[in-house]
Amino acid sequence: KQEVTQIPAALSVPEGENLVLNCSFTDSAIYNLQWFRQDPGKGLTSLLLIQSSQREQTSGRLNASLDKSSGRSTLYIAASQPGDSATYLCAPRNTGGFKTIFGAGTRLFVKA
Amino acid sequence: DTEVTQTPKHLVMGMTNKKSLKCEQHMGHRAMYWYKQKAKKPPELMFVYSYEKLSINESVPSRFSPECPNSSLLNLHLHALQPEDSALYLCASSQDPDRGFASGANVLTFGAGSRLTVL
């Protein structure tokens, strides 16, 4: 059974800092891994998807990497802004089914 | 259209009521999902439909009854719920059911959710 762990659970940083969010998963048999953002009480917004054959993906100030063999992914946020404050969720999608399993998330607060 | 639309946004119901949550997408996606999310917890998978057929039921109590009338629409019928069922219910869709290498590009797209309160 896939288990996903995200570290840290919460993070508070001043505006402008570069930061790294970590995700680890126990079952490396995945099709892809998505990073999502969730604002309080809202739905999930997809930020980046990395396919199992890829090592990284970039979108604007965001860069996500994937090391499937070691069961790790990181989300790098450059030059953080107050608008980046949200919960960030890591979600690998297992092979052999339709299951995307979520980590508990990292709650990020960026201070102005 | 790149959205998943969920209605209603908020629903309050008593334990004896019957209500439904609705989800709609017009992206041509053939897999649709229901997730349940409690406060400060990650989303948990409930049901998956693939080509309008139920593919996964994660041992969800029968008081939750999913329905997929066509490829664009997904319903969740609610009956005799308990207060602990209060949560955010999220619908999602993806382009195709996982079939081999090409499925790695399937993005899971979520709706804004339906906030359910059971009194």
Side-chain angles (χ1 to χ4, degrees):
Chain A
K1 179 184 173 185
Q2 180 73 279
E3 293 182 4
V4 183
T5 303
Q6 291 189 243
I7 294 172
L11 187 60
S12 180
V13 299
E15 183 177 7
E17 274 205 6
N18 301 325
L19 48 100
V20 176
L21 309 182
N22 295 293
C23 170
S24 61
F25 47 95
T26 55
D27 184 353
S28 62
I30 62 171
Y31 279 129
N32 60 40
L33 185 144
Q34 269 183 270
W35 282 93
F36 292 90
R37 169 190 171 133
Q38 186 173 32
D39 294 292
K42 305 293 186 183
L44 278 67
T45 300
S46 181
L47 298 173
L48 288 164
L49 177 144
I50 311 178
Q51 297 185 53
S52 61
S53 58
Q54 298 174 328
R55 295 301 297 261
E56 66 178 88
Q57 281 288 325
T58 297
S59 177
R61 295 182 293 108
L62 304 179
N63 175 276
S65 67
L66 174 65
D67 184 342
K68 197 176 77 156
S69 61
S70 66
R72 295 178 190 273
S73 178
T74 61
L75 179 67
Y76 176 81
I77 303 176
S80 58
Q81 303 171 356
D84 295 331
S85 299
T87 296
Y88 291 81
L89 296 156
C90 162
R93 184 178 182 86
N94 282 25
T95 59
F98 306 98
K99 295 190 179 184
T100 293
I101 305 299
F102 286 82
T106 294
R107 290 195 308 280
L108 173 65
F109 180 64
V110 181
K111 297 171 284 188
Chain B
D1 188 350
T2 57
E3 284 188 347
V4 176
T5 303
Q6 290 189 243
T7 55
K9 287 185 171 38
H10 300 276
L11 178 63
V12 180
M13 60 186 291
M15 289 190 283
T16 58
N17 292 157
K18 285 185 183 181
K19 297 285 185 184
S20 296
L21 305 180
K22 179 180 170 181
C23 174
E24 200 163 1
Q25 57 87 16
H26 297 287
M27 296 179 280
H29 289 180
R30 301 313 300 269
M32 296 186 76
Y33 313 74
W34 281 114
Y35 280 82
K36 173 182 178 179
Q37 187 178 27
K38 302 281 279 184
K40 299 192 187 304
K41 297 290 187 183
E44 295 179 348
L45 184 64
M46 299 174 71
F47 303 104
V48 181
Y49 274 83
S50 169
Y51 290 95
E52 296 97 69
K53 287 185 170 32
L54 183 64
S55 294
I56 294 178
N57 176 343
E58 290 286 89
S59 302
V60 178
S62 60
R63 57 186 184 267
F64 295 91
S65 175
E67 178 196 21
C68 189
N70 59 57
S71 60
S72 299
L73 192 57
L74 184 66
N75 298 319
L76 186 62
H77 302 299
L78 314 170
H79 174 54
L81 294 192
Q82 303 296 312
E84 59 264 29
D85 296 321
S86 299
L88 181 67
Y89 288 84
L90 295 161
C91 175
S93 67
S94 65
Q95 184 171 9
D96 266 310
D98 289 331
R99 287 181 185 176
F101 180 77
S103 63
N106 284 345
V107 174
L108 197 59
T109 302
F110 279 85
S114 292
R115 171 74 58 189
L116 173 66
T117 302
V118 182
L119 301 177

